[in-house]
Amino acid sequence: MPSLKALLRGMLVAAMLAAGSAHAELNIEIVGGGASRHAISVLPFKDEGPTQGNLTPVIRNDLALSGAFRLIDPSAVANVPFEPADIRYPLWQAAGAQSIAIGKVESAGGGQIKISFRLMDASQRKQLTGGEFTVTPDRSRQVAHAIADMIYEAITGQKGFFNTRLTYVLKSGRNFALQISDVDGQRSQTILRSTEPIISPSWSPDGRYIAYVSFASQKPVVWVQDLATGQRRAVANFKGSNSAPAWSPDGSRLAVVLTTSGNSQIYIINAAGGSARRLMYNGGIDTEPAFSPDGSMVYFVSDRSGNPQIYRVPVNGGDAQRVTWEGSYNVSPKLSPDGKTLVYIRRSAGNFRVMSQDLATNDSRQLSDGSYSERPSFAPNGRMVLYSSDAGGQSVLYAATADGSSKVKLAVLNGDVQDPAWGPFNNP
């Protein structure tokens, strides 16, 4: 059974050896679930040519990604309405549609377009939601995500997450790239390139900054980068290793792992840098901190019981409490936005799987398949879990519903993706 020290070493080696393309794209592929999905048809919007394919295809992909919808092919029905009065409801009901999204695009003058949409209930024949957006054509993708958010909320009662972003690390040859993208993988941007490893990206609560670990100075150093300006600063560059940054819920502090005292231990520092306060004192290895949503607790991984397990401790210090009891190897904790559920990686029979644990009952369920998964994180509404996993000999992104009923693959072409993290609702 590998020690936690071996686990940490393995994480760094994996970061340095992963191969892939820094120009990969993501495509949504449904790989599980479907029985309880809401059946919807998103019809082509009238005159959507100026949006250059960034409207109905984006809406459809978003809804498919969520795992909550089953898309009804519009070509299966001989009715292509653009207004509610033109909908032939019996035909759509016969095709199995529970709701229908329709819309149109019109010129608004001054180089702008007006995008209108309506979501109609097929059985009650009434509007569930709708809206109008006047934008330049290059903003149509954002409008599509906003429409998908409105549809998602109207059907599920939960806030949509399609205007959020992802971050992950790609490697091509000897070059590492820290990237951000839309939740569907499009509009990817490289915010940092390096010939040395980049690991553990973490979003600030306001979505403005990303903290990460860079080996550019030949040792791990924690940096914080402003996504708007590109400016960055080293916030943890103490003697030894500096790693595993995690933001406090108010964005004012970071939990980091330092080896200034010998073994890896958790410290709290100001997000702008400065001195570090050690959180606990023990002879074991503590790593991978994660704040609870209310900021009162820090969850972490420790080998103090002999094998890697997840614990929690008050943010101001105190006695640590063990959280995971099933299995002999549990790492990479992340909390749901409501603080009720913990996701993490469990090794069982040589396989590394994403687990979800109810913190009130301690009941757990497996979310991922395959032999190796890593770095789970929640969507900001808590309804999905992002992680990377092996598929066909390469590492790709998956998103599973939090209850384990469905999952989708965000297939990365020509490369591996590592250390994914789902961003907050805030999208500057």
Side-chain angles (χ1 to χ4, degrees), residues 89 93 98 120-128:
Y89 289 101
Q93 287 182 281
Q98 296 170 272
M120 308 301 296
D121 185 285
S123 61
Q124 300 184 51
R125 305 186 181 189
K126 69 176 184 179
Q127 180 172 313
L128 300 176

Side-chain angles (χ1 to χ4, degrees), residues 62-378:
D62 282 352
L63 299 180
L65 180 153
S66 73
F69 295 86
R70 177 168 60 89
L71 278 297
I72 302 295
D73 185 356
S75 66
V77 178
N79 177 221
V80 187
F82 304 117
E83 299 287 351
D86 299 326
I87 298 174
R88 297 170 65 181
Y89 289 101
L91 295 179
W92 290 103
Q93 287 182 281
Q98 296 170 272
S99 59
I100 309 151
I102 60 174
K104 60 185 178 181
V105 179
E106 304 170 280
S107 173
Q112 294 188 311
I113 55 175
K114 183 172 75 172
I115 301 171
S116 307
F117 98 99
R118 304 288 183 268
L119 177 67
M120 308 301 296
D121 185 285
S123 61
Q124 300 184 51
R125 305 186 181 189
K126 69 176 184 179
Q127 180 172 313
L128 300 176
T129 189
E132 295 182 348
F133 305 83
T134 300
V135 297
T136 54
D138 63 330
R139 297 278 296 174
S140 57
R141 172 171 287 275
Q142 290 94 313
V143 171
H145 289 317
I147 291 173
D149 280 338
M150 294 175 70
I151 293 173
Y152 182 92
E153 185 167 357
I155 299 300
T156 70
Q158 301 287 327
K159 186 175 181 179
F161 50 78
F162 304 116
N163 254 324
T164 60
R165 294 179 292 177
L166 312 178
T167 185
Y168 45 85
V169 177
L170 293 173
K171 182 177 181 292
S172 178
R174 296 177 57 85
N175 298 310
F176 291 83
L178 177 60
Q179 295 196 326
I180 60 172
S181 74
D182 286 358
V183 75
D184 59 3
Q186 300 299 312
R187 294 201 310 158
S188 61
Q189 304 171 51
T190 297
I191 66 170
L192 180 68
R193 296 185 187 275
S194 177
T195 57
E196 301 295 335
I198 304 166
I199 62 172
S200 304
S202 176
W203 290 91
S204 66
D206 62 4
R208 179 176 175 179
Y209 303 98
I210 289 182
Y212 55 86
V213 177
S214 170
F215 285 71
S217 58
Q218 306 306 309
K219 76 168 190 175
V221 174
V222 176
W223 293 79
V224 169
Q225 184 158 334
D226 188 320
L227 296 180
T229 66
Q231 294 182 339
R232 65 182 191 140
R233 60 182 182 274
V235 297
N237 188 12
F238 300 97
K239 178 183 177 181
S241 172
N242 309 261
S243 63
W247 293 86
S248 64
D250 65 1
S252 67
R253 294 168 296 170
L254 288 166
V256 296
V257 175
L258 308 178
T259 62
T260 56
S261 60
N263 281 341
S264 296
Q265 294 292 304
I266 297 172
Y267 291 74
I268 306 296
I269 62 172
N270 190 289
S275 61
R277 172 177 64 86
R278 185 167 172 175
L279 188 57
M280 295 167 287
Y281 289 84
N282 72 89
I285 293 175
D286 296 340
T287 188
E288 293 192 293
F291 281 91
S292 62
D294 64 3
S296 66
M297 306 290 289
V298 174
Y299 286 69
F300 64 98
V301 177
S302 179
D303 67 352
R304 61 185 63 194
S305 63
N307 295 308
Q309 296 291 343
I310 296 170
Y311 295 77
R312 62 187 170 203
V313 66
V315 71
N316 292 322
D319 295 330
Q321 175 187 8
R322 185 167 167 176
V323 177
T324 53
W325 294 91
E326 295 184 27
S328 60
Y329 188 99
N330 297 297
V331 299
S332 301
K334 286 292 188 298
L335 278 295
S336 62
D338 62 8
K340 297 180 179 180
T341 306
L342 176 74
V343 291
Y344 55 93
I345 298 296
R346 173 181 295 168
R347 188 182 64 188
S348 178
N351 297 311
F352 295 80
R353 303 276 172 74
V354 178
M355 304 297 297
S356 172
Q357 180 173 322
D358 185 311
L359 290 175
T361 66
N362 288 329
D363 292 339
S364 62
R365 62 167 59 93
Q366 180 179 309
L367 300 186
S368 71
D369 300 313
S371 62
Y372 186 82
S373 300
E374 68 169 10
R375 301 290 186 175
S377 65
F378 277 95

